[in-house]
Amino acid sequence: MFTLTIRAESELLVVVSRESRIDSLTKSEVVDLFMGRYVNFPNGDKAKVFDLAPKSKLKGLFYERLVNRTEAQIDAYWARLLFSGRNFPPKETESPGQLIHELMSSSHAIGYISSQDLTDSLKVVYRFEAL
């Protein structure tokens, strides 16, 4: 019972600024943005994708839930793309607080947070299903 409470309190959310023209995304669209397949939102607006710092618990959980890959596998994926010159990984932030600041500073920014960090200045565009 205690485990269920923790999961409910720390739901994983993909968020944008309240000013963003994006209201919702599918999981496929989130994958495309965070894995560098697309650089624009579905409406054509340029996307600025933000990630959390390496080895953060939330980052590992995000990529596990998003594409069923470990952080090491994600790093190897981006290393191949960087080497080929095809794309760049999401910009890393040092903390959820810095990520939220970046999201609030641009209507084109997108990132992920725990539901406990959600503020009124952010809009949820994708919510991971509960385990």
Side-chain angles (χ1 to χ4, degrees), residues 71-84:
E71 190 173 337
Q73 290 171 318
I74 295 299
D75 290 344
Y77 168 85
W78 280 111
R80 285 190 304 275
L81 286 182
L82 281 170
F83 183 74
S84 69

Side-chain angles (χ1 to χ4, degrees), residues 1 14 20 25 49 55 58 62 64 69 78 82 88 112:
M1 184 92 152
V14 177
S20 174
L25 295 170
V49 182
K55 309 282 188 250
L58 195 58
F62 176 74
E64 180 183 312
R69 300 282 184 261
W78 280 111
L82 281 170
F88 296 94
Y112 55 91

Side-chain angles (χ1 to χ4, degrees), residues 11-29:
E11 188 178 14
L12 189 55
L13 309 171
V14 177
V15 294
V16 296
S17 163
R18 180 72 54 201
E19 308 305 316
S20 174
R21 296 187 322 144
I22 301 302
D23 291 321
S24 68
L25 295 170
T26 65
K27 183 174 183 180
S28 177
E29 290 167 337

Side-chain angles (χ1 to χ4, degrees), residues 102-115:
E102 294 287 351
L103 294 172
M104 292 179 357
S105 300
S106 172
S107 63
H108 299 284
I110 184 171
Y112 55 91
I113 61 171
S114 170
S115 58

Side-chain angles (χ1 to χ4, degrees), residues 79-95:
R80 285 190 304 275
L81 286 182
L82 281 170
F83 183 74
S84 69
R86 290 190 293 175
N87 208 337
F88 296 94
K91 182 176 178 182
E92 290 181 350
T93 59
E94 292 300 316
S95 67

Side-chain angles (χ1 to χ4, degrees), residues 1 8 14 18 26 46-47 49 53 55 63 71 75 84 88-89 96 100-101 109 111 118 120 122-124 128 130-131:
M1 184 92 152
V14 177
R18 180 72 54 201
T26 65
K46 179 89 171 141
V49 182
K55 309 282 188 250
Y63 285 104
E71 190 173 337
D75 290 344
S84 69
F88 296 94
I100 291 168
H101 174 75
L118 186 62
D120 290 340
L122 299 175
K123 184 180 355 177
V124 177
F128 284 87
L131 290 176

